[in-house]
Amino acid sequence: MARYLTVRALLGLIAISGVVLLTFVLQFLVPGDPARRVAGPRADEVVLQTVRANLHLDDPVTTQLATYVVRTAQGDLGVSYQRRRPVIDMLLERLPATLLLAGAGLVIEIVLGSLVGVWDGLRRRRSPALAAMNILLLSIPTYTLGFLLLYVFGYKLDLLPLSGGPGLPELVLPALTLGLFGVPYYASVVAESIRVAASSPYARTAVAKGLTPRQVMRGHLLRNCLSPVITLAGLDIAIYVSGVIFVESVFGWPGIGLLAQESFVNLDRPVLMGTVILGAVVVIGFNLVADVVRAYVDPRTRTDPA
Amino acid sequence: MSDLAIVDVGVSYGRFVAVRDVTLAVPAGTTLALVGESGSGKSSLAHAIARLLPPGTGLTGSVQVGGRELASLRGRDLRDVRGRVVSYLAQDAMAALNPVMRVGRQVGEVFARHQGLSRRESAGRAGDLLRRVGIQAPDLVARKFPHELSGGMRQRVMIAIALALAPEVLVADEPTTALDVTVQAEILALVRALQAERGFAIVWITHDMGVVAEIADDVAVMYGGRIVEQGPVRDVFAAPAHPYTRALIEAAREQPDTAAKARFLTIVGQPPAGELPSGCSFHPRCPVAIDRCSTERPGSRLIGEGRHAACHLAG
Ligand SMILES: Nc1ncnc2c1ncn2[C@@H]1O[C@H](COP(=O)(O)OP(=O)(O)OP(=O)(O)O)[C@@H](O)[C@H]1O
Ligand SMILES: [Mg+2]
């Protein structure tokens, strides 16, 4: 396991480097002049020149990249063009809000998805109502659902705030938008696992011991659904992170996603790079954690013999 | 210990009838071997006896242990009987053990459920039991997961689970088919020793005539969901009365070393699936069939001391 994790961490580092390189180059393809954004629309050429010099925007791209890579390797993500503050501080400031939203969404999709999945998996045939709901959820784009929830609960019923945060009332709608989307996926995975487990020989053994249906379910079937759920969460994390960024923008939730969007609009390159690196680290780190947890709940996936 | 009596048992999955009119008696302390081709309904009958048929499966007739009717039990009464009156030993121990639970807990669970023991007490009893089934380092093995054990060890664990509560009847569904010959011999010896000590009745399903000779007192031959012949092993082997039994024994003699399942393939034709043929189910494949066989189904008749056969030409 230790060796496996080291290899995975190294591969992760390579992936992050790739992401850094790609994003860095792509930034220069975005039209617009960062100096102009900093200096304002009415600044004259002299001011612009000074700003460019200060931000090293006139250096060749390769020099800028080299400087950036060296600094990043030392843990320095630079300073925001716009706010003149260290990027690290800005990220850390926004991180709790994002973790709250991402965590809430994840809990919703896993808990709700698993409940629905267990219910469906215990039926002899798939529930047609559930199948219809799945198709509906799968075919509505995220933004439609987000705006729909906003319209109904925020505007029409006026129950919840339209945007902002990071308080609990503001959390409800973005977390629901984020979570509801995952429900069909988790529900299908759990339902399928329950079906497979319930008709397995080990379930028959459990029944043959005289266990109650509840004991069979809790002690034997559910445990065997954990591994696929964790696998799905690991596979889904990259898409999930992009969902977080999107939902934060729609609902004005003051997290990393909103910061990424603002920095993109403002051509604030160091901040944008910072959010991208953080996203990549989260995706890779989450996958590592998922592997460790899965090895814990399913001993067959442990690579080294114990 | 008590006798097992099966009377007119039938099993149907929806409209498909897998077992029909099976009547068998297994006295306490004896072993009945159940043989027959794949799909003949052996597992269905085994599940019917152990009351492990999937929900919605039709079960008719009577399964009695010491005069107590099991076939009509439901709910709590049924759960109390499982593992305590009748136990089940599955073919593939790897698949029959929960892959994500340590084997010690899987054994101990039985005590926790039926005797209300705490986890610690159950673990202690599980350790004792594992030693009883011939596992050398029970504490070490108890902490392992099924995939970390050898096939023979896993089947020993299954035997421990099945015999934990000293049941009256053990139903074994080809428990040694997946094991190699030496391990198979060890498992057979273990079960026989435990039976000699405790006196439970065994229904042992197998494809292997060698195993029948090794472990069973009586043998019942199944074809198309029915028992076509039954009697003491020695008598049936010496003079099989039904042409199907004859073909099985013949095939086993000709190729003693080939894989058990393959032996039956030397009987010409396919076993019946779905609709049974008219008259005797075996007549399309029978080398000695007469006209009567295709029109009139032979009933099971007494053809000698403790021997029954369902064939117009028998006796
Ligand atoms: N759960 C089920 N639902 C529907 N049909 C089933 C089910 N289980 C078994 N059957 C059918 O019942 C028949 C008898 O099956 P069974 O498993 O009892 O045979 P078997 O003699 O044990 O065969 P094998 O030697 O291959 O184990 C087969 O035709 C099988 O397809
Ligand atoms: Mg079978």
Side-chain angles (χ1 to χ4, degrees), chain A residues 202 204-205 207-210 219-220 223-224 299, chain B residues 47 82 95-96 98 101 105-106 109 113-114:
Chain A
Y202 65 78
R204 175 171 283 143
T205 304
V207 172
K209 289 173 182 174
H220 294 271
R223 274 160 175 259
N224 280 279
Chain B
H47 296 156
R82 287 176 174 149
N98 187 337
M101 197 190 271
R105 261 203 77 196
Q106 301 196 48
E109 203 175 27
R113 156 71 180 87
H114 287 275

mmCIF file with all atom_site columns, all heavy atoms in Angstrom, chain A residues 202 204-205 207-210 219-220 223-224 299, chain B residues 47 82 95-96 98 101 105-106 109 113-114:
data_model
loop_
_atom_site.group_PDB
_atom_site.id
_atom_site.type_symbol
_atom_site.label_atom_id
_atom_site.label_alt_id
_atom_site.label_comp_id
_atom_site.label_asym_id
_atom_site.label_entity_id
_atom_site.label_seq_id
_atom_site.pdbx_PDB_ins_code
_atom_site.Cartn_x
_atom_site.Cartn_y
_atom_site.Cartn_z
_atom_site.occupancy
_atom_site.B_iso_or_equiv
_atom_site.pdbx_formal_charge
_atom_site.auth_seq_id
_atom_site.auth_comp_id
_atom_site.auth_asym_id
_atom_site.auth_atom_id
_atom_site.pdbx_PDB_model_num
ATOM 1   N N   . TYR A 1 202 ? -23.148 -15.349 -0.623 1.00 0.00 ? 202 TYR A N   1
ATOM 2   C CA  . TYR A 1 202 ? -22.877 -14.974 0.766  1.00 0.00 ? 202 TYR A CA  1
ATOM 3   C C   . TYR A 1 202 ? -24.124 -14.412 1.439  1.00 0.00 ? 202 TYR A C   1
ATOM 4   O O   . TYR A 1 202 ? -24.279 -14.532 2.662  1.00 0.00 ? 202 TYR A O   1
ATOM 5   C CB  . TYR A 1 202 ? -21.664 -14.042 0.896  1.00 0.00 ? 202 TYR A CB  1
ATOM 6   C CG  . TYR A 1 202 ? -21.791 -12.680 0.275  1.00 0.00 ? 202 TYR A CG  1
ATOM 7   C CD1 . TYR A 1 202 ? -22.506 -11.678 0.905  1.00 0.00 ? 202 TYR A CD1 1
ATOM 8   C CD2 . TYR A 1 202 ? -21.170 -12.387 -0.923 1.00 0.00 ? 202 TYR A CD2 1
ATOM 9   C CE1 . TYR A 1 202 ? -22.616 -10.426 0.347  1.00 0.00 ? 202 TYR A CE1 1
ATOM 10  C CE2 . TYR A 1 202 ? -21.263 -11.133 -1.500 1.00 0.00 ? 202 TYR A CE2 1
ATOM 11  C CZ  . TYR A 1 202 ? -21.984 -10.160 -0.864 1.00 0.00 ? 202 TYR A CZ  1
ATOM 12  O OH  . TYR A 1 202 ? -22.100 -8.927  -1.425 1.00 0.00 ? 202 TYR A OH  1
ATOM 13  N N   . ARG A 1 204 ? -27.030 -15.670 0.815  1.00 0.00 ? 204 ARG A N   1
ATOM 14  C CA  . ARG A 1 204 ? -27.733 -16.907 1.171  1.00 0.00 ? 204 ARG A CA  1
ATOM 15  C C   . ARG A 1 204 ? -27.150 -17.482 2.464  1.00 0.00 ? 204 ARG A C   1
ATOM 16  O O   . ARG A 1 204 ? -27.891 -17.947 3.335  1.00 0.00 ? 204 ARG A O   1
ATOM 17  C CB  . ARG A 1 204 ? -27.615 -17.911 0.030  1.00 0.00 ? 204 ARG A CB  1
ATOM 18  C CG  . ARG A 1 204 ? -28.226 -19.255 0.374  1.00 0.00 ? 204 ARG A CG  1
ATOM 19  C CD  . ARG A 1 204 ? -28.297 -20.170 -0.828 1.00 0.00 ? 204 ARG A CD  1
ATOM 20  N NE  . ARG A 1 204 ? -29.393 -19.792 -1.698 1.00 0.00 ? 204 ARG A NE  1
ATOM 21  C CZ  . ARG A 1 204 ? -29.353 -19.845 -3.029 1.00 0.00 ? 204 ARG A CZ  1
ATOM 22  N NH1 . ARG A 1 204 ? -28.262 -20.232 -3.624 1.00 0.00 ? 204 ARG A NH1 1
ATOM 23  N NH2 . ARG A 1 204 ? -30.397 -19.492 -3.741 1.00 0.00 ? 204 ARG A NH2 1
ATOM 24  N N   . THR A 1 205 ? -25.815 -17.434 2.592  1.00 0.00 ? 205 THR A N   1
ATOM 25  C CA  . THR A 1 205 ? -25.187 -17.905 3.829  1.00 0.00 ? 205 THR A CA  1
ATOM 26  C C   . THR A 1 205 ? -25.711 -17.112 5.026  1.00 0.00 ? 205 THR A C   1
ATOM 27  O O   . THR A 1 205 ? -26.031 -17.684 6.070  1.00 0.00 ? 205 THR A O   1
ATOM 28  C CB  . THR A 1 205 ? -23.653 -17.751 3.752  1.00 0.00 ? 205 THR A CB  1
ATOM 29  O OG1 . THR A 1 205 ? -23.183 -18.436 2.599  1.00 0.00 ? 205 THR A OG1 1
ATOM 30  C CG2 . THR A 1 205 ? -22.987 -18.322 4.990  1.00 0.00 ? 205 THR A CG2 1
ATOM 31  N N   . VAL A 1 207 ? -28.544 -15.561 5.316  1.00 0.00 ? 207 VAL A N   1
ATOM 32  C CA  . VAL A 1 207 ? -29.926 -15.970 5.587  1.00 0.00 ? 207 VAL A CA  1
ATOM 33  C C   . VAL A 1 207 ? -29.936 -17.330 6.281  1.00 0.00 ? 207 VAL A C   1
ATOM 34  O O   . VAL A 1 207 ? -30.692 -17.561 7.230  1.00 0.00 ? 207 VAL A O   1
ATOM 35  C CB  . VAL A 1 207 ? -30.740 -16.028 4.278  1.00 0.00 ? 207 VAL A CB  1
ATOM 36  C CG1 . VAL A 1 207 ? -32.109 -16.646 4.518  1.00 0.00 ? 207 VAL A CG1 1
ATOM 37  C CG2 . VAL A 1 207 ? -30.900 -14.629 3.694  1.00 0.00 ? 207 VAL A CG2 1
ATOM 38  N N   . ALA A 1 208 ? -29.051 -18.221 5.828  1.00 0.00 ? 208 ALA A N   1
ATOM 39  C CA  . ALA A 1 208 ? -28.996 -19.572 6.398  1.00 0.00 ? 208 ALA A CA  1
ATOM 40  C C   . ALA A 1 208 ? -28.572 -19.560 7.865  1.00 0.00 ? 208 ALA A C   1
ATOM 41  O O   . ALA A 1 208 ? -28.799 -20.514 8.588  1.00 0.00 ? 208 ALA A O   1
ATOM 42  C CB  . ALA A 1 208 ? -28.052 -20.446 5.580  1.00 0.00 ? 208 ALA A CB  1
ATOM 43  N N   . LYS A 1 209 ? -27.938 -18.479 8.300  1.00 0.00 ? 209 LYS A N   1
ATOM 44  C CA  . LYS A 1 209 ? -27.560 -18.367 9.708  1.00 0.00 ? 209 LYS A CA  1
ATOM 45  C C   . LYS A 1 209 ? -28.754 -17.987 10.576 1.00 0.00 ? 209 LYS A C   1
ATOM 46  O O   . LYS A 1 209 ? -28.634 -17.931 11.798 1.00 0.00 ? 209 LYS A O   1
ATOM 47  C CB  . LYS A 1 209 ? -26.493 -17.282 9.897  1.00 0.00 ? 209 LYS A CB  1
ATOM 48  C CG  . LYS A 1 209 ? -25.127 -17.637 9.357  1.00 0.00 ? 209 LYS A CG  1
ATOM 49  C CD  . LYS A 1 209 ? -24.213 -16.425 9.448  1.00 0.00 ? 209 LYS A CD  1
ATOM 50  C CE  . LYS A 1 209 ? -22.844 -16.715 8.871  1.00 0.00 ? 209 LYS A CE  1
ATOM 51  N NZ  . LYS A 1 209 ? -22.014 -15.504 8.830  1.00 0.00 ? 209 LYS A NZ  1
ATOM 52  N N   . GLY A 1 210 ? -29.867 -17.661 9.932  1.00 0.00 ? 210 GLY A N   1
ATOM 53  C CA  . GLY A 1 210 ? -31.042 -17.263 10.692 1.00 0.00 ? 210 GLY A CA  1
ATOM 54  C C   . GLY A 1 210 ? -31.081 -15.775 10.999 1.00 0.00 ? 210 GLY A C   1
ATOM 55  O O   . GLY A 1 210 ? -31.845 -15.336 11.861 1.00 0.00 ? 210 GLY A O   1
ATOM 56  N N   . GLY A 1 219 ? -25.443 -5.934  8.034  1.00 0.00 ? 219 GLY A N   1
ATOM 57  C CA  . GLY A 1 219 ? -24.162 -6.588  8.263  1.00 0.00 ? 219 GLY A CA  1
ATOM 58  C C   . GLY A 1 219 ? -23.488 -7.063  6.993  1.00 0.00 ? 219 GLY A C   1
ATOM 59  O O   . GLY A 1 219 ? -22.273 -7.186  6.954  1.00 0.00 ? 219 GLY A O   1
ATOM 60  N N   . HIS A 1 220 ? -24.275 -7.348  5.947  1.00 0.00 ? 220 HIS A N   1
ATOM 61  C CA  . HIS A 1 220 ? -23.667 -7.993  4.784  1.00 0.00 ? 220 HIS A CA  1
ATOM 62  C C   . HIS A 1 220 ? -23.851 -7.237  3.481  1.00 0.00 ? 220 HIS A C   1
ATOM 63  O O   . HIS A 1 220 ? -22.891 -7.033  2.744  1.00 0.00 ? 220 HIS A O   1
ATOM 64  C CB  . HIS A 1 220 ? -24.220 -9.412  4.638  1.00 0.00 ? 220 HIS A CB  1
ATOM 65  C CG  . HIS A 1 220 ? -23.803 -10.303 5.780  1.00 0.00 ? 220 HIS A CG  1
ATOM 66  N ND1 . HIS A 1 220 ? -22.644 -11.018 5.760  1.00 0.00 ? 220 HIS A ND1 1
ATOM 67  C CD2 . HIS A 1 220 ? -24.381 -10.547 6.975  1.00 0.00 ? 220 HIS A CD2 1
ATOM 68  C CE1 . HIS A 1 220 ? -22.523 -11.695 6.894  1.00 0.00 ? 220 HIS A CE1 1
ATOM 69  N NE2 . HIS A 1 220 ? -23.568 -11.414 7.659  1.00 0.00 ? 220 HIS A NE2 1
ATOM 70  N N   . ARG A 1 223 ? -22.387 -3.262  3.457  1.00 0.00 ? 223 ARG A N   1
ATOM 71  C CA  . ARG A 1 223 ? -20.929 -3.207  3.440  1.00 0.00 ? 223 ARG A CA  1
ATOM 72  C C   . ARG A 1 223 ? -20.372 -3.416  2.040  1.00 0.00 ? 223 ARG A C   1
ATOM 73  O O   . ARG A 1 223 ? -19.355 -2.848  1.669  1.00 0.00 ? 223 ARG A O   1
ATOM 74  C CB  . ARG A 1 223 ? -20.355 -4.334  4.281  1.00 0.00 ? 223 ARG A CB  1
ATOM 75  C CG  . ARG A 1 223 ? -20.232 -4.027  5.722  1.00 0.00 ? 223 ARG A CG  1
ATOM 76  C CD  . ARG A 1 223 ? -20.137 -5.324  6.452  1.00 0.00 ? 223 ARG A CD  1
ATOM 77  N NE  . ARG A 1 223 ? -19.895 -5.114  7.856  1.00 0.00 ? 223 ARG A NE  1
ATOM 78  C CZ  . ARG A 1 223 ? -18.710 -5.235  8.407  1.00 0.00 ? 223 ARG A CZ  1
ATOM 79  N NH1 . ARG A 1 223 ? -17.671 -5.585  7.690  1.00 0.00 ? 223 ARG A NH1 1
ATOM 80  N NH2 . ARG A 1 223 ? -18.554 -5.009  9.678  1.00 0.00 ? 223 ARG A NH2 1
ATOM 81  N N   . ASN A 1 224 ? -21.044 -4.281  1.295  1.00 0.00 ? 224 ASN A N   1
ATOM 82  C CA  . ASN A 1 224 ? -20.551 -4.575  -0.040 1.00 0.00 ? 224 ASN A CA  1
ATOM 83  C C   . ASN A 1 224 ? -20.925 -3.508  -1.063 1.00 0.00 ? 224 ASN A C   1
ATOM 84  O O   . ASN A 1 224 ? -20.512 -3.584  -2.209 1.00 0.00 ? 224 ASN A O   1
ATOM 85  C CB  . ASN A 1 224 ? -21.033 -5.957  -0.486 1.00 0.00 ? 224 ASN A CB  1
ATOM 86  C CG  . ASN A 1 224 ? -20.180 -7.057  0.109  1.00 0.00 ? 224 ASN A CG  1
ATOM 87  O OD1 . ASN A 1 224 ? -19.106 -7.350  -0.405 1.00 0.00 ? 224 ASN A OD1 1
ATOM 88  N ND2 . ASN A 1 224 ? -20.622 -7.623  1.222  1.00 0.00 ? 224 ASN A ND2 1
ATOM 89  N N   . PRO A 1 299 ? -11.158 -5.332  1.618  1.00 0.00 ? 299 PRO A N   1
ATOM 90  C CA  . PRO A 1 299 ? -9.787  -5.853  1.740  1.00 0.00 ? 299 PRO A CA  1
ATOM 91  C C   . PRO A 1 299 ? -9.262  -6.453  0.439  1.00 0.00 ? 299 PRO A C   1
ATOM 92  O O   . PRO A 1 299 ? -8.061  -6.557  0.261  1.00 0.00 ? 299 PRO A O   1
ATOM 93  C CB  . PRO A 1 299 ? -9.918  -6.932  2.817  1.00 0.00 ? 299 PRO A CB  1
ATOM 94  C CG  . PRO A 1 299 ? -11.362 -7.265  2.868  1.00 0.00 ? 299 PRO A CG  1
ATOM 95  C CD  . PRO A 1 299 ? -12.091 -6.011  2.504  1.00 0.00 ? 299 PRO A CD  1
ATOM 96  N N   . HIS B 2 47  ? -32.206 -26.342 -1.526 1.00 0.00 ? 47  HIS B N   1
ATOM 97  C CA  . HIS B 2 47  ? -32.693 -25.069 -0.989 1.00 0.00 ? 47  HIS B CA  1
ATOM 98  C C   . HIS B 2 47  ? -34.077 -25.224 -0.369 1.00 0.00 ? 47  HIS B C   1
ATOM 99  O O   . HIS B 2 47  ? -34.411 -24.551 0.596  1.00 0.00 ? 47  HIS B O   1
ATOM 100 C CB  . HIS B 2 47  ? -32.713 -24.003 -2.075 1.00 0.00 ? 47  HIS B CB  1
ATOM 101 C CG  . HIS B 2 47  ? -31.346 -23.667 -2.594 1.00 0.00 ? 47  HIS B CG  1
ATOM 102 N ND1 . HIS B 2 47  ? -31.127 -23.134 -3.845 1.00 0.00 ? 47  HIS B ND1 1
ATOM 103 C CD2 . HIS B 2 47  ? -30.122 -23.809 -2.032 1.00 0.00 ? 47  HIS B CD2 1
ATOM 104 C CE1 . HIS B 2 47  ? -29.837 -22.972 -4.021 1.00 0.00 ? 47  HIS B CE1 1
ATOM 105 N NE2 . HIS B 2 47  ? -29.203 -23.366 -2.944 1.00 0.00 ? 47  HIS B NE2 1
ATOM 106 N N   . ARG B 2 82  ? -33.375 -21.962 10.980 1.00 0.00 ? 82  ARG B N   1
ATOM 107 C CA  . ARG B 2 82  ? -32.191 -21.889 10.116 1.00 0.00 ? 82  ARG B CA  1
ATOM 108 C C   . ARG B 2 82  ? -30.924 -21.885 10.948 1.00 0.00 ? 82  ARG B C   1
ATOM 109 O O   . ARG B 2 82  ? -30.744 -21.049 11.831 1.00 0.00 ? 82  ARG B O   1
ATOM 110 C CB  . ARG B 2 82  ? -32.233 -20.625 9.264  1.00 0.00 ? 82  ARG B CB  1
ATOM 111 C CG  . ARG B 2 82  ? -33.243 -20.696 8.147  1.00 0.00 ? 82  ARG B CG  1
ATOM 112 C CD  . ARG B 2 82  ? -33.288 -19.382 7.418  1.00 0.00 ? 82  ARG B CD  1
ATOM 113 N NE  . ARG B 2 82  ? -34.148 -19.466 6.244  1.00 0.00 ? 82  ARG B NE  1
ATOM 114 C CZ  . ARG B 2 82  ? -34.836 -18.433 5.772  1.00 0.00 ? 82  ARG B CZ  1
ATOM 115 N NH1 . ARG B 2 82  ? -34.758 -17.259 6.372  1.00 0.00 ? 82  ARG B NH1 1
ATOM 116 N NH2 . ARG B 2 82  ? -35.585 -18.572 4.710  1.00 0.00 ? 82  ARG B NH2 1
ATOM 117 N N   . ALA B 2 95  ? -17.378 -17.755 -2.676 1.00 0.00 ? 95  ALA B N   1
ATOM 118 C CA  . ALA B 2 95  ? -18.544 -16.915 -2.953 1.00 0.00 ? 95  ALA B CA  1
ATOM 119 C C   . ALA B 2 95  ? -19.522 -16.909 -1.784 1.00 0.00 ? 95  ALA B C   1
ATOM 120 O O   . ALA B 2 95  ? -20.277 -15.960 -1.612 1.00 0.00 ? 95  ALA B O   1
ATOM 121 C CB  . ALA B 2 95  ? -19.248 -17.401 -4.217 1.00 0.00 ? 95  ALA B CB  1
ATOM 122 N N   . ALA B 2 96  ? -19.487 -17.974 -0.976 1.00 0.00 ? 96  ALA B N   1
ATOM 123 C CA  . ALA B 2 96  ? -20.468 -18.096 0.099  1.00 0.00 ? 96  ALA B CA  1
ATOM 124 C C   . ALA B 2 96  ? -20.048 -17.366 1.372  1.00 0.00 ? 96  ALA B C   1
ATOM 125 O O   . ALA B 2 96  ? -20.823 -17.251 2.309  1.00 0.00 ? 96  ALA B O   1
ATOM 126 C CB  . ALA B 2 96  ? -20.743 -19.561 0.405  1.00 0.00 ? 96  ALA B CB  1
ATOM 127 N N   . ASN B 2 98  ? -18.780 -13.760 3.043  1.00 0.00 ? 98  ASN B N   1
ATOM 128 C CA  . ASN B 2 98  ? -18.801 -12.331 2.757  1.00 0.00 ? 98  ASN B CA  1
ATOM 129 C C   . ASN B 2 98  ? -17.369 -11.831 2.555  1.00 0.00 ? 98  ASN B C   1
ATOM 130 O O   . ASN B 2 98  ? -16.544 -11.948 3.458  1.00 0.00 ? 98  ASN B O   1
ATOM 131 C CB  . ASN B 2 98  ? -19.463 -11.598 3.923  1.00 0.00 ? 98  ASN B CB  1
ATOM 132 C CG  . ASN B 2 98  ? -19.685 -10.131 3.623  1.00 0.00 ? 98  ASN B CG  1
ATOM 133 O OD1 . ASN B 2 98  ? -19.011 -9.553  2.780  1.00 0.00 ? 98  ASN B OD1 1
ATOM 134 N ND2 . ASN B 2 98  ? -20.640 -9.540  4.304  1.00 0.00 ? 98  ASN B ND2 1
ATOM 135 N N   . MET B 2 101 ? -15.814 -9.239  5.236  1.00 0.00 ? 101 MET B N   1
ATOM 136 C CA  . MET B 2 101 ? -15.926 -9.434  6.679  1.00 0.00 ? 101 MET B CA  1
ATOM 137 C C   . MET B 2 101 ? -14.922 -10.492 7.125  1.00 0.00 ? 101 MET B C   1
ATOM 138 O O   . MET B 2 101 ? -14.741 -11.505 6.453  1.00 0.00 ? 101 MET B O   1
ATOM 139 C CB  . MET B 2 101 ? -17.342 -9.897  7.019  1.00 0.00 ? 101 MET B CB  1
ATOM 140 C CG  . MET B 2 101 ? -17.706 -9.747  8.491  1.00 0.00 ? 101 MET B CG  1
ATOM 141 S SD  . MET B 2 101 ? -19.261 -10.552 8.874  1.00 0.00 ? 101 MET B SD  1
ATOM 142 C CE  . MET B 2 101 ? -20.418 -9.258  8.581  1.00 0.00 ? 101 MET B CE  1
ATOM 143 N N   . ARG B 2 105 ? -15.652 -13.171 12.542 1.00 0.00 ? 105 ARG B N   1
ATOM 144 C CA  . ARG B 2 105 ? -16.963 -12.554 12.796 1.00 0.00 ? 105 ARG B CA  1
ATOM 145 C C   . ARG B 2 105 ? -18.070 -13.300 12.080 1.00 0.00 ? 105 ARG B C   1
ATOM 146 O O   . ARG B 2 105 ? -19.187 -13.391 12.558 1.00 0.00 ? 105 ARG B O   1
ATOM 147 C CB  . ARG B 2 105 ? -16.952 -11.097 12.334 1.00 0.00 ? 105 ARG B CB  1
ATOM 148 C CG  . ARG B 2 105 ? -16.740 -10.158 13.486 1.00 0.00 ? 105 ARG B CG  1
ATOM 149 C CD  . ARG B 2 105 ? -17.260 -8.784  13.175 1.00 0.00 ? 105 ARG B CD  1
ATOM 150 N NE  . ARG B 2 105 ? -18.702 -8.680  13.256 1.00 0.00 ? 105 ARG B NE  1
ATOM 151 C CZ  . ARG B 2 105 ? -19.376 -7.673  12.723 1.00 0.00 ? 105 ARG B CZ  1
ATOM 152 N NH1 . ARG B 2 105 ? -18.748 -6.716  12.084 1.00 0.00 ? 105 ARG B NH1 1
ATOM 153 N NH2 . ARG B 2 105 ? -20.675 -7.614  12.845 1.00 0.00 ? 105 ARG B NH2 1
ATOM 154 N N   . GLN B 2 106 ? -17.732 -13.823 10.891 1.00 0.00 ? 106 GLN B N   1
ATOM 155 C CA  . GLN B 2 106 ? -18.759 -14.541 10.136 1.00 0.00 ? 106 GLN B CA  1
ATOM 156 C C   . GLN B 2 106 ? -19.175 -15.812 10.873 1.00 0.00 ? 106 GLN B C   1
ATOM 157 O O   . GLN B 2 106 ? -20.316 -16.247 10.779 1.00 0.00 ? 106 GLN B O   1
ATOM 158 C CB  . GLN B 2 106 ? -18.266 -14.871 8.725  1.00 0.00 ? 106 GLN B CB  1
ATOM 159 C CG  . GLN B 2 106 ? -17.891 -13.619 7.956  1.00 0.00 ? 106 GLN B CG  1
ATOM 160 C CD  . GLN B 2 106 ? -17.775 -13.839 6.460  1.00 0.00 ? 106 GLN B CD  1
ATOM 161 O OE1 . GLN B 2 106 ? -18.644 -14.434 5.839  1.00 0.00 ? 106 GLN B OE1 1
ATOM 162 N NE2 . GLN B 2 106 ? -16.699 -13.346 5.871  1.00 0.00 ? 106 GLN B NE2 1
ATOM 163 N N   . GLU B 2 109 ? -21.004 -14.576 14.337 1.00 0.00 ? 109 GLU B N   1
ATOM 164 C CA  . GLU B 2 109 ? -22.329 -14.019 14.092 1.00 0.00 ? 109 GLU B CA  1
ATOM 165 C C   . GLU B 2 109 ? -23.458 -15.002 14.439 1.00 0.00 ? 109 GLU B C   1
ATOM 166 O O   . GLU B 2 109 ? -24.517 -14.612 14.921 1.00 0.00 ? 109 GLU B O   1
ATOM 167 C CB  . GLU B 2 109 ? -22.399 -13.667 12.604 1.00 0.00 ? 109 GLU B CB  1
ATOM 168 C CG  . GLU B 2 109 ? -23.391 -12.643 12.234 1.00 0.00 ? 109 GLU B CG  1
ATOM 169 C CD  . GLU B 2 109 ? -23.276 -12.297 10.753 1.00 0.00 ? 109 GLU B CD  1
ATOM 170 O OE1 . GLU B 2 109 ? -22.821 -13.150 9.953  1.00 0.00 ? 109 GLU B OE1 1
ATOM 171 O OE2 . GLU B 2 109 ? -23.645 -11.190 10.387 1.00 0.00 ? 109 GLU B OE2 1
ATOM 172 N N   . ARG B 2 113 ? -26.415 -14.208 17.036 1.00 0.00 ? 113 ARG B N   1
ATOM 173 C CA  . ARG B 2 113 ? -27.812 -14.204 16.638 1.00 0.00 ? 113 ARG B CA  1
ATOM 174 C C   . ARG B 2 113 ? -28.661 -15.183 17.459 1.00 0.00 ? 113 ARG B C   1
ATOM 175 O O   . ARG B 2 113 ? -29.723 -14.832 17.949 1.00 0.00 ? 113 ARG B O   1
ATOM 176 C CB  . ARG B 2 113 ? -27.909 -14.544 15.145 1.00 0.00 ? 113 ARG B CB  1
ATOM 177 C CG  . ARG B 2 113 ? -29.223 -15.118 14.672 1.00 0.00 ? 113 ARG B CG  1
ATOM 178 C CD  . ARG B 2 113 ? -30.345 -14.076 14.656 1.00 0.00 ? 113 ARG B CD  1
ATOM 179 N NE  . ARG B 2 113 ? -31.596 -14.644 14.197 1.00 0.00 ? 113 ARG B NE  1
ATOM 180 C CZ  . ARG B 2 113 ? -32.489 -15.246 14.971 1.00 0.00 ? 113 ARG B CZ  1
ATOM 181 N NH1 . ARG B 2 113 ? -32.261 -15.352 16.248 1.00 0.00 ? 113 ARG B NH1 1
ATOM 182 N NH2 . ARG B 2 113 ? -33.605 -15.732 14.467 1.00 0.00 ? 113 ARG B NH2 1
ATOM 183 N N   . HIS B 2 114 ? -28.174 -16.410 17.618 1.00 0.00 ? 114 HIS B N   1
ATOM 184 C CA  . HIS B 2 114 ? -29.036 -17.434 18.210 1.00 0.00 ? 114 HIS B CA  1
ATOM 185 C C   . HIS B 2 114 ? -28.895 -17.551 19.721 1.00 0.00 ? 114 HIS B C   1
ATOM 186 O O   . HIS B 2 114 ? -29.789 -18.024 20.390 1.00 0.00 ? 114 HIS B O   1
ATOM 187 C CB  . HIS B 2 114 ? -28.764 -18.790 17.575 1.00 0.00 ? 114 HIS B CB  1
ATOM 188 C CG  . HIS B 2 114 ? -29.295 -18.905 16.185 1.00 0.00 ? 114 HIS B CG  1
ATOM 189 N ND1 . HIS B 2 114 ? -30.584 -19.266 15.897 1.00 0.00 ? 114 HIS B ND1 1
ATOM 190 C CD2 . HIS B 2 114 ? -28.711 -18.669 14.996 1.00 0.00 ? 114 HIS B CD2 1
ATOM 191 C CE1 . HIS B 2 114 ? -30.779 -19.268 14.592 1.00 0.00 ? 114 HIS B CE1 1
ATOM 192 N NE2 . HIS B 2 114 ? -29.655 -18.904 14.019 1.00 0.00 ? 114 HIS B NE2 1
#
